[in-house]
Amino acid sequence: MTSAIISAINLLTKPLGETYVHAAQSSHQNALLVVLQANRALLLEQLQTDSSFEEVRGLKNEVTVTANWFSSETEDITWSFVQECLILLLTLARHLSFELERFRQTPARSAAKLHTPEVAPPLPPDILSVSQQKTLGAALQFVVSLGLCPYLAPGVGVPLGRRSAFGAMVEKLVHGGAVPAAAARRLFTTTTVLLQFAELASLATLVFTRHLGDVMAALCQLGYQPQGEGRSGTEELSAEERQSCREAIKSLLGKVYQPVVIKELLILQGGPKQSGTVVGSSGSSSRSAPAWLRCLCGQLLSERLMQSNGVQAVVRAILEGGTGAESDWRKCDGVARILVACPQQSASADSYYRQVCPQILGLLHFKDKLTAQQFQRVATRAVLSMVQEKPSFAQQYLLTPLLTPLHRCTTASNESHSQAAVKEWELTHCVEDVYKIWVVGNSPSAFLLKALEEVLAVIFTLFCFTKQNVSHLRAPCQEILLWYLSHAETSAALSTLRQLCGLQGQKNDMAAGFHFTPGSDGGAKCSFRESCSSVSPSLLCSCFIELWGDQWRLECLVQLLAQLKDSILPGDFFLSLLQELTSWTATAGEEEKAEQELNVSAMTLLEVEQQLLGRAVRQGQRLVLLQVLAVMLESLQHTVLLGKTTQVVDFMVCLLQRACVGLDQATEPSFGNPIESQTLSMGMGLVATLLSGPQHSAEDYSSMSRLLPPLETLSQKHSEVVVKELASNLRTVILTHGAYWPENLTAAAQTSRNPETSMQTEANDLQTSTSSPPGSCSLSNTHIRQPASSGGSAAGGTLQEGGKTSGTGVPCTPAKPFSGWLLEACDPDIPTRAFALRVLTQMVQTRTPEAFQAQEKVLMLFLENLEHEDSFVYLSAIQGLAVLADSYPERILARLLQNFRHDPSLSTSNKERSLETCLKVGEVLMRASRAMGELAPHLGRPLIGVFLQGTRDPDHSVRVSSLSNLGELCQRMDYALGPLAQELSSCVTALIKTEKEAEVRRAAVHVIALLLRGLSDKTTQVLGDVLMDLYRALKWAACSDPDDVVVLHARLALEELDDVMRRFIFPEQKLEKKIIVLP
């Protein structure tokens, strides 16, 4: 029977036939009227004559009897057609309801007999086929177009004329420009029948997927339109009917998917007037919605918003179907503004924000990529807008709940040790939310900065913890900290840095006894720290943990400062620490004097204890300050510390003021600390460099005017004549704004530009700053024997990469006999000895007669200093031996080869000493091999034999050194390597395949790479017999070796071999023209 009813509906809604097309040529409206009338007549005729429609006719008559709104005497063709459609729809709904009830009451046993594994379960009778759904869809479209939309008031819903040209024609057809007398009653009838038809779930889908907005518009008009504003001026609905429409709209809005409901309500509410014709169901009318409808839609939207998951429904309604384009981001901002604005229908702003704000925070935790981006954008913009417009509500309902996990880390108690104070998922969500709102939102304000500052210590502690482990929280924590330091005011940022590094009392730090521990999902959780084991005292354990933790926090803080490359904050922090150090230096003498004058015997024990504790606290603060300065100087580049000229000037002010404090505290004349004098000279050279730059403005000289008081003090009180003169000249240049420029300032500026001079001694600095002529070294000789504080501040030049002596290491040939320098090379003072060794190296290099005659003594002296433990001394000796081997190769190389042989039969202590000496001699031989040049084939054969023997040494370090030397030498041997190719190949391939130490295998593969690189196009001639063996060894290493570095070296060597063979097989084509003169 369902098929019969659908067939009847199909007869009523079938398209126009050709006979009717020729009969109605006047207009489209007349043609449509003819078809509607003809189809209705055809349906009534088929119901009366066709026996297949007998059951349909009976059920239709029953429905017609119960439908008190049906009138067969109406002369309106369209309404007659709509009545027939409504009757058939109700007939179908009643039949499906009966069949569905019978299907549900079918005994389970009889149904079970029909069920087998191969048979699908029976379908409910309300399941319609695709063609049947298409037929019902056409009928519903006729009902809505002819019986509902034309009777809506102006501005209510989307008119048919704005949907399509056919809709405009239908709208004119229904009432022809006049208002029907029974418009309200017809609208009520159509809407009521559609709601009855939609009581079945399967039929409701057909109605509401395409006509929900029209049904909602009709219900709103029928239930809420004020009296007298309708299109019908004669007939009105009763109060009961209007109330039923109100209840129906509320029931309908509660059943349908909420984003769809909100979207339709927004369309009903209307928007700004738009010009032009808008096509589509979502278009807005050119006439705005009436005030009562706007108010009603606003109230309904507010109810949808304030219900559970209402915020998510609003966001989905507006953003669903977006593509992430710029228009979608603008929609996100618009939605955020909607959420922040409290609706007028709300009882109070407090209740509204209390209900909506948690849902806004919930938008931050979606997993779907596109949805998460849009929802996070809405949530971020909503939070930021609310912070600006409603800061009190934002603090209470947004920021406080969001930051609660971090606040709990500071207020946790140890009542329950078994449970974590903050769980991993809570901490993860909190950190990610802070990152999204503060960093991604990137809308700095004093309110947000203050809220973040309260939990910044906990975030920094978490960041330090993540630096020790692999955690996904490291990057967001780092970005949050960098964002705060970049956007906070300088004073607040400096105060925060002081707290984080321990120079100032920390606020809102981790609760006592609690720390972060790794979570199971790569995050972290806050839990109670277990007490130390009974093996070690708890006090010692806690002290060690605290000291290690402070050092690690300081290193992490410096790493953060290193990321602020474009900020002046690291430089300002560094200068503030220097100023504090200067102030402490100034008050140190007074404190020491006060402590000496303190009468302890007249004090109580409590006062003595307080005095001692105060002194310990002050000393601890100073130690922390020095530690922070040391770590910053060691880890940060000068461009980060002093990136601006003003910061350089501030740095020089601190440096000169500290020097003046040292002069004021001096009680008797002294030569002073040479390191401090050298630092002061370099600092003033830096000032001279600044002054020697491009033309300075008046503001630059104004900032440099702060240097005048300390420069004046130095020019009057410093003990060094050169420093006094340099300070006086700098002061004069600053005062005259560069009009006066002494000659010695040019040399001082040149010295400060040369990075090598930063490691020179006080003698060399003073000599350069005074521009003493070549050969005059009396000033150097005056201070050459001053002891240095450490071996690193040597009295000579520095060793550059590759072992070459810096050009400024020995600025002139000292006026001292050769025997004196030999004695200096045996001096126990490390800087003096190192400087003497470098002078002797220069004498050997310049082939002075004394050095040539005493080359044996010089060789012994270098060999003895080779065993010295200080790196500055033995590096100077290595450089001297390399120069000796270059100057007198045959004799010196033979002696060095004897010392290179490592004797494994020595005792343990002697063996270690012999091993160190062997490695140092290996470095000498490597430098000598590089310096041989074209003499390598002549001088290298003895070295190759010794290096091949060294590859069999029991110590792997010697084997690595021998292979390195072998590679450096072989790449320079050219054709002389031919007779040794077989032996060399056997040695290297055996080491690659059998050696256990990865470093040795790396060196062996590197030998082949250097060999191929050195021979280049000669490879096939020199290594023709062993080339296949080397290739197989490299392939084996690249495919089978467990060490990644060996594999990398092997692949690089294979690339070298590939280039060689390509050039051999495909030689470069040279366009040459040969001219042969015939005899």
Side-chain angles (χ1 to χ4, degrees), residues 521-553:
D521 296 329
K525 57 185 178 180
C526 178
S527 57
F528 185 74
R529 187 191 300 273
E530 298 293 338
S531 60
C532 296
S533 61
S534 57
V535 177
S536 59
S538 60
L539 180 60
L540 181 61
C541 180
S542 61
C543 289
F544 172 77
I545 293 175
E546 183 176 359
L547 290 175
W548 181 85
D550 293 342
Q551 178 66 24
W552 180 247
R553 287 170 64 91

Side-chain angles (χ1 to χ4, degrees), residues 311 352-362 386 393-394 397-398:
V311 172
Y352 172 76
Y353 289 119
R354 182 172 61 252
Q355 197 162 4
V356 168
C357 288
Q359 299 184 47
I360 293 177
L361 295 179
M386 196 167 172
F393 290 117
Y397 296 120
L398 285 177

Side-chain angles (χ1 to χ4, degrees), residues 360-388:
I360 293 177
L361 295 179
L363 297 178
L364 296 169
H365 304 143
F366 279 83
K367 301 299 183 183
D368 180 66
K369 187 175 182 181
L370 180 59
T371 304
Q373 289 179 354
Q374 295 177 337
F375 280 26
Q376 290 169 15
R377 173 73 175 180
V378 172
T380 301
R381 296 307 306 168
V383 171
L384 296 177
S385 300
M386 196 167 172
V387 166
Q388 294 177 358

Side-chain angles (χ1 to χ4, degrees), residues 934-949:
E934 297 181 356
L935 292 177
H938 172 66
L939 300 174
R941 292 184 64 91
L943 275 67
I944 289 180
V946 174
F947 294 154
L948 288 174
Q949 293 178 6

Side-chain angles (χ1 to χ4, degrees), residues 474-512:
R474 181 189 304 172
C477 287
Q478 177 175 333
E479 293 299 327
I480 293 169
L481 294 169
L482 292 176
W483 183 89
Y484 176 82
L485 295 177
S486 301
H487 294 87
E489 295 185 359
T490 304
S491 58
L494 292 177
S495 176
T496 301
L497 288 175
R498 293 179 63 84
Q499 293 179 17
L500 296 181
C501 68
L503 288 173
Q504 190 173 323
Q506 296 185 4
K507 299 178 182 178
N508 302 321
D509 201 0
M510 293 288 293

Side-chain angles (χ1 to χ4, degrees), residues 516-799:
F516 289 112
T517 55
S520 58
D521 296 329
K525 57 185 178 180
C526 178
S527 57
F528 185 74
R529 187 191 300 273
E530 298 293 338
S531 60
C532 296
S533 61
S534 57
V535 177
S536 59
S538 60
L539 180 60
L540 181 61
C541 180
S542 61
C543 289
F544 172 77
I545 293 175
E546 183 176 359
L547 290 175
W548 181 85
D550 293 342
Q551 178 66 24
W552 180 247
R553 287 170 64 91
L554 182 56
E555 293 179 3
C556 293
L557 180 62
V558 173
Q559 292 178 12
L560 280 177
L561 293 177
Q563 299 296 323
L564 298 171
K565 296 180 180 179
D566 298 331
S567 174
I568 62 173
L569 182 62
D572 292 342
F573 182 55
F574 176 66
L575 292 174
S576 66
L577 297 181
L578 287 180
Q579 292 173 359
E580 185 175 356
L581 180 63
T582 303
S583 62
W584 279 356
T585 305
T587 59
E590 299 178 1
E591 293 179 359
E592 185 177 357
K593 184 177 180 181
E595 291 177 359
Q596 292 177 356
E597 297 176 355
L598 187 65
N599 188 7
V600 181
S601 60
M603 300 170 61
T604 63
L605 291 177
L606 182 59
E607 293 175 346
V608 173
E609 183 180 2
Q610 293 177 350
Q611 184 70 21
L612 294 176
L613 288 177
R615 184 191 307 172
V617 169
R618 290 193 297 272
Q619 292 178 353
Q621 288 292 320
R622 295 179 182 179
L623 288 176
V624 173
L625 175 62
L626 294 174
Q627 184 185 22
V628 175
L629 283 172
V631 174
M632 290 185 68
L633 289 172
E634 181 181 356
S635 303
L636 299 180
Q637 298 180 359
H638 65 91
T639 54
V640 178
L641 291 177
L642 302 175
K644 294 178 61 179
T645 304
T646 55
Q647 291 180 334
V648 177
V649 174
D650 292 338
F651 170 73
M652 290 310 307
V653 170
C654 295
L655 180 63
L656 297 179
Q657 286 178 351
R658 191 161 64 252
C660 294
V661 170
L663 294 177
D664 295 337
Q665 294 178 355
T667 57
E668 59 182 7
S670 62
F671 292 103
N673 192 334
I675 303 302
E676 293 182 359
S677 298
Q678 176 186 356
T679 304
L680 185 58
S681 300
M682 290 300 302
M684 288 192 288
L686 182 59
V687 176
T689 302
L690 288 177
L691 292 172
S692 65
Q695 185 176 2
H696 297 285
S697 62
E699 296 179 358
D700 296 334
Y701 284 109
S702 176
S703 64
M704 293 182 186
S705 62
R706 291 177 294 165
L707 297 170
L708 295 177
L711 285 175
E712 183 179 4
T713 303
L714 290 174
S715 65
Q716 295 176 358
K717 297 183 179 181
H718 201 278
S719 59
E720 296 291 339
V721 178
V722 176
V723 174
K724 293 172 65 175
E725 181 183 356
L726 190 57
S728 177
N729 291 335
L730 289 173
R731 184 171 177 274
T732 304
V733 172
I734 295 174
L735 287 173
T736 60
H737 287 196
Y740 170 74
W741 187 266
E743 294 182 359
N744 61 343
L745 284 185
T746 304
Q750 184 65 28
T751 301
S752 65
R753 289 193 186 100
N754 190 353
E756 297 294 336
T757 58
S758 60
M759 293 301 293
Q760 299 301 319
T761 60
E762 178 195 6
N764 292 330
D765 285 329
L766 294 179
Q767 179 184 0
T768 307
S769 64
T770 54
S771 299
S772 52
S776 175
C777 296
S778 59
L779 190 57
S780 292
N781 295 334
T782 303
H783 298 283
I784 195 65
R785 297 302 298 269
Q786 290 290 339
S789 59
S790 66
S793 298
T798 58
L799 281 175

Side-chain angles (χ1 to χ4, degrees), residues 353-362 364-365 383 386-387 391-409 422 425-434 437-438 447 451 454-455:
Y353 289 119
R354 182 172 61 252
Q355 197 162 4
V356 168
C357 288
Q359 299 184 47
I360 293 177
L361 295 179
L364 296 169
H365 304 143
V383 171
M386 196 167 172
V387 166
S392 59
F393 290 117
Q395 177 66 39
Q396 183 178 2
Y397 296 120
L398 285 177
L399 299 185
T400 299
L402 189 148
L403 300 175
T404 295
L406 295 175
H407 284 296
R408 288 215 313 266
C409 294
V422 181
W425 68 269
E426 293 179 317
L427 199 59
T428 300
H429 281 179
C430 180
V431 172
E432 291 178 350
D433 293 349
V434 171
I437 293 175
W438 270 264
F447 194 80
E454 295 177 356
V455 296

